[in-house]
Amino acid sequence: MSIRSCCIRSVLLLLLLVLAQAPATVFAAPSGSNLLIYCGITMVRPVTDIARLFEKQEKISIAVAQGGSEDLYQSAKKSQQGDLYLPGEPVFRIRHQSEGLLGEYRGLGFNQMALMVQKGNPKKVKPDLKELLRKDLSVVLGSSESGSVGVEARRILTQAGLYPKVAAKVVQMLPDSRSIMAAMRRGDADVTMSWRATGYFPDNAASVDVLDLPPAVAPPQELQLTLLTFSKNPVMARKFMAFAAGPQGQAIFRRYGFITAVKSGQ
């Protein structure tokens, strides 16, 4: 059964619970869903493509709830429903590990932050965090209260001793990478920090250029597809984890601009 928006009452109730607790949105809600994946915004496209292949292979249905990584975790915690959780970086696992809801994980690749500028870089922005302080540049950032992109931007800028000054001059604090890139496409800002893969998505690549930061400044962050300990279908969930971390899944992640060559862990 393929991913689709029509769903039976039980799945509707489940997804209403998810949405009631956080500003996460449902990307797909199939009838008789066998797996529910909570997926951070940046990874929705590759995860959805992988889910479609896996559905055909296993003859099951998969629902993908998307949103900011923290919002998604809180939704899963409140509803106690779902099978897998994919945040934008490991800090969410570290933050919530003691609560006992996050089990084993498989690494799917890496997120890495970069500066994004308008296409052609008309303001001649350099790949340097201090450029965010330029008075002639308008800046948007992610909020550290909702999604991984904001958490990582704050961490990087704090480490560089720049966060209070940059935060004081931003024109908008936005909830996730999707809203950040939409703002850049509209021309609302000259520069932002976002996960670099988003700059290569087809709908963004025509509007922005990616300015890579050194790994010492913006270290790659592992994408950890995590089994939720209250999953009602852990066997199938583990099978999906292996599929996503396997050759087909990794090829899809690379196609969307993510760094792969990953490891798995406990």
Side-chain angles (χ1 to χ4, degrees), residues 42-58:
T42 304
M43 295 76 66
V44 164
R45 298 185 193 201
V47 166
T48 300
D49 286 359
I50 293 167
R52 285 173 178 153
L53 291 176
F54 192 75
E55 285 180 323
K56 292 178 182 177
Q57 174 180 297
E58 300 297 327

Side-chain angles (χ1 to χ4, degrees), residues 24-212:
T25 57
V26 176
F27 182 78
S31 175
S33 176
N34 295 98
L35 289 178
L36 172 60
I37 303 171
Y38 296 89
C39 181
I41 287 289
T42 304
M43 295 76 66
V44 164
R45 298 185 193 201
V47 166
T48 300
D49 286 359
I50 293 167
R52 285 173 178 153
L53 291 176
F54 192 75
E55 285 180 323
K56 292 178 182 177
Q57 174 180 297
E58 300 297 327
K59 304 297 188 290
I60 68 163
S61 295
I62 299 174
V64 180
Q66 61 176 285
S69 297
E70 178 64 22
D71 295 335
L72 288 170
Y73 177 81
Q74 295 301 329
S75 295
K77 177 181 176 180
K78 190 72 173 181
S79 69
Q80 296 285 297
Q81 299 289 335
D83 305 282
L84 295 164
Y85 171 57
L86 181 60
E89 61 172 311
V91 67
F92 298 95
R93 182 181 182 86
I94 296 168
R95 180 184 297 170
H96 298 298
Q97 186 71 56
S98 63
E99 297 177 19
L101 305 183
L102 303 176
E104 66 205 68
Y105 73 86
R106 295 292 296 264
L108 300 186
F110 295 86
N111 257 338
Q112 186 174 17
M113 291 290 280
L115 297 182
M116 308 278 182
V117 297
Q118 294 296 326
K119 196 69 179 178
N121 196 5
K123 297 292 184 74
K124 307 301 180 186
V125 180
K126 295 178 289 189
D128 185 330
L129 295 177
K130 292 180 180 178
E131 293 286 274
L132 297 172
L133 297 176
R134 278 174 46 180
K135 293 181 180 180
D136 63 323
L137 297 180
S138 57
V139 180
V140 294
L141 281 183
S143 168
S144 61
E145 300 301 315
S146 58
S148 63
V149 69
V151 170
E152 185 67 356
R154 181 167 187 160
R155 187 197 67 76
I156 290 171
L157 290 170
T158 297
Q159 189 172 41
L162 300 175
Y163 185 76
K165 292 180 180 179
V166 174
K169 76 179 291 284
V170 298
V171 296
Q172 292 182 83
M173 284 284 191
L174 298 168
D176 50 51
S177 61
R178 176 178 293 165
S179 55
I180 288 173
M181 299 311 291
M184 292 297 290
R185 291 197 305 271
R186 292 192 302 267
D188 293 348
D190 300 308
V191 61
T192 190
M193 290 182 71
S194 187
W195 295 118
R196 71 183 301 277
T198 63
Y200 296 100
F201 292 173
D203 49 338
N204 297 329
S207 301
V208 304
D209 284 339
V210 177
L211 305 182
D212 283 323

